[in-house]
Amino acid sequence: MAKGDPGASTRGRRAAPRSRKAATGDPELVQLLTPTGERIESVTGPDGTEYRVDFTDEEYRGLYRDLVLVRKLDAEATALQRQGELGIWASLLGQEAAQVGSGRALRTQDMAFPTYREHGVLYCRGIDPIMPLGLFRGVDQGGWDPNEFKFNMYTIVIGAQTLHATGYAMGVAMDGKTGTDDGEAVIAYFGDGATSQGDVNEAFVWAGVFNSPLVFFCQNNQYAISEPLERQTRIPLYRRAAGFGFPGIRVDGNDVLATYAVTRHALDNARHGQGPSLIEAYTYRMGAHTTSDDPTRYRIASEVEAWQAKDPIARMKAFLEREQIADSDFFAEVDEQARREAIELRERVLAMPNPEPVTMFDHVYPNGSPLLDEQRAQFNKYFDSFEGSTH
Ligand SMILES: Cc1ncc(C[n+]2csc(CCOP(=O)(O)OP(=O)(O)O)c2C)c(N)n1
Ligand SMILES: [Mg+2]
């Protein structure tokens, strides 16, 4: 995986794409890389903002590597669940560009609040991918230090993290950490279904009224489990922002370059004290909601096929090939790295020790509680009643 911050270095920059300059076909969708891998030099958003990226060849290759590694690790986790090694897995298949593009747009000091599907953002934040697997294997509580990685805990309660992010962002502003190039911004991830939750709408109100340094990043993957988008909204989701008094924009979430450009712009506005915004990353959940779901029950194969033609990795590969930024040796080397990392991840998952059952009572409260102590004692007595029990 490419380390560091794509777009931050000024060496070896590609001044302009070698492919044709084109205007975006859809004014409601910011796109810098078409599904066939053609580069669009820049796109002007509805408010006049010009979106472009200015990457070196190495940075372009780094983004491709991220996309491939994230997809492979996700596929390995799905396989592990199918073999009974994880309790459940929420795959990000199809959403790699939305996550890598936004994840790489974050600066080191920015704080992210994820859902349960943000494995690609987690990866970009430098967290060991084994961490969420412990959670989904049920052998630990999936903990990492949010302050160390600037990436909060996975949140299963739909939309709740948008309120946490809003409170956190209000605190960032109150601490005077905005207003400069080094200011801190906050990003809250959530899905299309979450936009129907009260929590998310309350977060919009508070962030708007307090002009908080927050980017609401909605991955519209077209479904909330089996509920399609048309059951959530009658207008494009990004337009809801206007009603809360801040800007909204829709980006092609299968385009890692446009997602990066739009997110970086929104984060920079936030860190400079210009308040929140909503990004709707228009994408598609190519797999099941989780491994417990069977999407063939509620959607037709032709829809999935239509989105496969918009695959985020295939278009990036087509671009790198067309522009001769990468050759077959590079692609083979990335595939080999992905294969090695997946094997290593599998070995580490299988080697994870089972926790002692009584540890489920740990970490519930920072200083314990009499009720919990009583329950622990009852549990120990029950557990000891089994022949040969040790703990
Ligand atoms: C408050 C709450 N209600 C219901 C659920 C059950 N649930 C889990 S995922 C999900 C759908 C979420 O859809 P969306 O926000 O589009 O996110 P996606 O899973 O598509 O990324 C629901 C209803 C929950 N976890 N939390
Ligand atoms: Mg969804």
Side-chain angles (χ1 to χ4, degrees):
M1 164 188 172
K3 289 273 181 303
D5 183 11
S9 117
T10 51
R11 277 176 298 110
R13 235 177 247 312
R14 208 159 261 272
R18 290 175 203 151
S19 54
R20 73 187 166 89
K21 178 176 179 176
T24 178
D26 180 354
E28 286 207 296
L29 187 78
V30 176
Q31 189 180 72
L32 294 173
L33 194 60
T34 70
T36 52
E38 280 186 72
R39 269 290 266 117
I40 295 162
E41 189 180 327
S42 71
V43 174
T44 305
D47 66 351
T49 302
E50 196 191 355
Y51 294 102
R52 58 167 64 237
V53 289
D54 192 16
F55 290 128
T56 63
D57 288 359
E58 197 182 338
E59 288 166 343
Y60 278 126
R61 286 192 293 267
L63 287 170
Y64 176 81
R65 189 184 297 274
D66 288 343
L67 295 171
V68 171
L69 293 183
V70 162
R71 175 170 291 185
K72 181 68 176 176
L73 295 174
D74 181 72
E76 194 64 26
T78 299
L80 281 163
Q81 194 285 332
R82 290 297 186 234
Q83 292 159 7
E85 300 295 349
L86 301 181
I88 189 171
W89 183 247
S91 168
L92 59 56
L93 185 65
Q95 299 177 216
E96 297 87 353
Q99 297 200 10
V100 169
S102 60
R104 287 288 175 213
L106 292 165
R107 292 194 195 275
T108 314
Q109 70 271 26
D110 297 339
M111 179 62 116
F113 286 79
T115 72
Y116 41 81
R117 206 187 289 286
E118 263 66 78
H119 322 307
V121 186
L122 174 140
Y123 197 89
C124 291
R125 293 265 84 184
I127 298 177
D128 186 338
I130 194 81
M131 297 304 274
L133 287 148
L135 175 70
F136 287 106
R137 189 169 164 86
V139 296
D140 64 39
Q141 292 166 2
W144 49 83
D145 181 349
N147 287 321
E148 183 186 350
F149 297 103
K150 303 294 265 181
F151 185 81
N152 236 269
M153 303 309 296
Y154 273 6
T155 303
I156 312 283
V157 182
I158 300 300
Q161 72 282 1
T162 59
L163 283 174
H164 309 157
T166 301
Y168 186 91
M170 288 167 68
V172 167
M174 286 173 192
D175 286 347
K177 291 186 186 160
T178 56
T180 65
D181 288 350
D182 295 332
E184 185 174 336
V186 183
I187 191 165
Y189 288 89
F190 54 102
D192 44 293
T195 62
S196 299
Q197 288 288 121
D199 282 8
V200 175
N201 289 272
E202 289 160 20
F204 287 173
V205 170
W206 280 78
V209 168
F210 284 86
N211 204 43
S212 303
L214 178 55
V215 176
F216 290 105
F217 192 92
C218 176
Q219 284 171 88
N220 175 2
N221 64 6
Q222 314 296 328
Y223 286 93
I225 313 185
S226 57
E227 284 290 281
L229 183 66
E230 63 262 25
R231 288 282 174 271
Q232 310 289 351
T233 186
R234 302 302 294 265
I235 59 161
L237 292 172
Y238 79 93
R239 284 204 222 154
R240 293 228 182 127
F244 294 91
F246 51 85
I249 184 119
R250 182 153 70 178
V251 64
D252 184 341
N254 285 12
D255 170 352
V256 69
L257 306 181
T259 305
Y260 178 95
V262 166
T263 311
R264 181 45 79 87
H265 178 77
L267 287 167
D268 283 346
N269 276 350
R271 85 179 75 259
H272 282 111
Q274 291 169 40
S277 52
L278 169 64
I279 296 172
E280 177 189 358
Y282 203 74
T283 181
Y284 192 74
R285 195 197 72 210
M286 282 160 73
H289 170 70
T290 66
T291 45
S292 304
D293 169 49
D294 173 7
T296 64
R297 300 278 294 270
Y298 55 83
R299 70 182 184 192
I300 53 174
S302 60
E303 181 187 296
V304 183
E305 280 161 22
W307 277 93
Q308 276 164 351
K310 301 179 194 176
D311 186 281
I313 300 183
R315 76 173 70 179
M316 192 62 180
K317 188 174 187 185
F319 162 64
L320 296 181
E321 282 172 333
R322 176 181 289 123
E323 300 296 330
Q324 296 176 7
I325 297 172
D327 58 16
S328 56
D329 284 353
F330 169 79
F331 294 121
E333 182 259 309
V334 171
D335 287 346
E336 177 53 23
Q337 182 186 353
R339 198 184 65 83
R340 266 188 287 107
E341 289 197 8
I343 291 172
E344 191 189 317
L345 186 71
R346 163 174 294 266
E347 286 169 357
R348 292 173 67 207
V349 167
L350 299 185
M352 283 178 131
N354 285 333
E356 293 301 328
V358 73
T359 58
M360 75 172 119
F361 295 97
D362 297 346
H363 312 302
V364 177
Y365 296 109
N367 304 313
S369 92
L371 183 62
L372 211 62
D373 291 344
E374 199 182 312
Q375 286 180 359
R376 184 188 288 108
Q378 277 172 5
F379 176 81
N380 278 334
K381 207 167 147 212
Y382 171 74
F383 200 75
D384 288 342
S385 70
F386 292 95
E387 200 179 327
S389 84
T390 51
H391 67 105

